[in-house]
Amino acid sequence: ELPANSWEWRLGSYIRENPKAPIYADLSFFSEVLHADKEERAALAANFSAWVREFDPDAEHLVFGTDWLMLGMDTGYDRYIPSVDAFLRKDCHWSDAMIDRVFVTNALRFFGLQSGEKTYRRLLAFYERNNLDASRLPSIDGSIITALFGRND
């Protein structure tokens, strides 16, 4: 279990005290889920679930990221996304809504890409000026997760 003075718990405390603050933590290198045995995985899920329960129960401040080059150095990188998805669903018992927030909605909110926001409107105007298909713009649709990598049910 992480100590109360760890950076994770300090960030969590800030999030709990400032739930509307635009601050996020990412899961870009959560590679422990790739190599943990059953016992280690259970401990990891218990610790991570405790953090979420304590500081971000609706998973509104966590985002999934995959652009860190260190991930490519891990032998399990090709199954990273479905492994994290399965870990959150099966080991941490997250709801579809929480999964969708971490994989889609929180990032759209962070980057201002929700429909009607300034950044989204700017991109939409660019697409229109350049005769691009605006349906390619990101949307808040949980089915994007299935479309990208399927479910590990």
Side-chain angles (χ1 to χ4, degrees):
E1 187 169 315
L2 289 172
N5 65 350
S6 69
W7 72 264
E8 292 93 342
W9 249 246
R10 293 178 130 199
L11 176 65
S13 294
Y14 182 84
I15 289 170
R16 182 181 54 217
E17 293 165 14
N18 302 278
K20 299 296 180 192
I23 187 164
Y24 299 87
D26 74 76
L27 304 177
S28 63
F29 197 55
F30 203 15
S31 63
E32 296 89 345
V33 302
L34 293 173
H35 309 293
D37 63 27
K38 189 174 182 176
E39 186 176 300
E40 293 167 331
R41 197 171 174 100
L44 182 60
N47 196 29
F48 187 63
S49 294
W51 187 95
V52 170
R53 245 187 339 274
E54 180 75 22
F55 304 116
D56 193 20
D58 293 321
E60 294 180 340
H61 295 273
L62 295 169
V63 295
F64 180 81
T66 61
D67 64 345
W68 197 40
L69 87 114
M70 292 301 290
L71 184 57
M73 299 174 87
D74 194 292
T75 56
Y77 78 91
D78 59 332
R79 66 184 196 284
Y80 181 65
I81 296 172
S83 295
V84 170
D85 181 67
F87 173 77
L88 296 175
R89 286 179 192 285
K90 295 177 182 179
D91 298 286
C92 297
H93 309 288
W94 279 24
S95 67
D96 287 342
M98 291 173 74
I99 298 287
D100 290 345
R101 279 192 283 281
V102 168
F103 281 104
V104 180
T105 311
N106 292 345
L108 294 178
R109 195 171 67 240
F110 175 74
F111 289 114
L113 293 174
Q114 291 176 305
S115 183
E117 291 186 11
K118 186 177 179 179
T119 302
Y120 185 89
R121 289 192 314 265
R122 190 186 83 240
L123 284 171
L124 185 58
F126 174 84
Y127 273 60
E128 289 171 357
R129 276 193 317 272
N130 292 284
N131 296 317
L132 298 171
D133 180 7
S135 69
R136 294 181 60 207
L137 285 172
S139 65
I140 299 176
D141 178 3
S143 65
I144 191 171
I145 297 168
T146 301
L148 287 175
F149 54 84
R151 299 270 194 219
N152 262 4
D153 295 336

